Structures are given as structure tokens and as C-alpha cells.
Amino acid sequence: MLSPKLETALNKQINEEYYSSYLYLAMAAYLEDMNLDGCAHWMRMQALEEYQHGMKLFDYLVDRGSRVELQAIQAPPKEWNSPVAAFQASLEHEQYMTGNINALADLAIAEKDHATNNIMQWYIAEQVEEEASVDNILKKLAMMGDTGPGLFMMDRELKSRVEPAPQAAE
Ligand code: FEO
């Protein structure tokens, strides 16, 4: 059984992961509207991955005999100033999520909950990847140009992102 503090904090993180999924869906809708199918596809895949992040925590709470308590998901923004601004917002959001995960790992250590600290290590490694992948897109856009041909080439590249593999619960 989780401590009440950890149970509350992990339930809040489930909500953050589902908000992330919603945010990426909103970005996908924005990019679809601009006919950037590849960029929109990348965001759709990201939304699926965030859903899985939420479910992994959902399953973890169930496994620990704790109660999952779903909360209202905040509405994400609808518009960004440009496609590159959407990717920049994605990077900033992932940096925010990394802060949340680090705080959860700190709390798990403070509560002497080794199992929660262990699952947080998985999320910590995942956050390194998440930040790196969007940072890579932004760096390439800076190199190739974030409008016109550069954006067109990136759109083609992002079409190839594959669906995330299902995540097993810890
Ligand atoms: Fe699940 Fe991208 O944080």
C-alpha cells in the first residue's frame, strides 16, 4: 500500500500524463489544419505514448492496492504561433514533466518507498528520451529552416514515426 501522500501525488501525475496526451492531440489538430500531416502524425504518436504513461501509473497504483482517482483534464490550448512554436511548447512541457517526475522520485525516497522510486527511475529515463527527441526536431528545424522547404522536409521525416509499443506495468 502506498502512503497517502504518494497515492495523492501519483494520482495527480496520472492526470498530468493524460493532460499531456490531450495537449499533443491539440497540437496534432493544429498541425492537421495546416496540412502538415507528418508533424501531426508525430504528435498523434506522442499522444498515444502519453496515454501509455498514464496507464502505466494507473496499473502501478492498482498493483500496490491503492485507489486510482481520475480528475478532470484541463483543456489544452488550440493555437500556436507557428509549427515550430508548437514543438517549442512541447519541449517546455516535457521539461515541466521532468520536474514533476523528479519531485515524485524525491518524495518516494523521503517516504522510503523503494518500489515507487524504482518505477520513477523508468520515468526519469523516459523523460531524457522525450526531451531529446523534440530537441532534435527543433535543432534540425533551426538548421534547415522552420518554414518552407525545411519544414516540408521535416514533415516528411516525421511521418515515419512508429506507434509506441505497449508498456507493461512494473
Ligand atoms: Fe509522459 Fe512526455 O511525459
Side-chain angles (χ1 to χ4, degrees), residues 1-2 7 59-68:
M1 196 82 166
L2 293 162
E7 186 174 304
D59 290 340
Y60 177 69
L61 259 73
V62 171
D63 286 349
R64 292 294 305 271
S66 286
R67 189 72 165 91
V68 172

Side-chain angles (χ1 to χ4, degrees), residues 42-60:
W42 191 92
M43 292 296 180
R44 282 174 186 244
M45 294 301 102
Q46 190 61 29
L48 277 179
E49 200 162 309
E50 298 300 352
Y51 174 77
Q52 289 184 351
H53 291 172
M55 284 312 297
K56 190 179 176 85
L57 278 180
F58 183 110
D59 290 340
Y60 177 69

Side-chain angles (χ1 to χ4, degrees), residues 87 91 95 130-140:
F87 282 102
L91 177 61
Q95 289 164 342
E130 299 247 302
E131 284 191 35
S133 72
V134 72
D135 189 52
N136 183 271
I137 293 169
L138 283 165
K139 284 194 175 124
K140 282 185 180 161

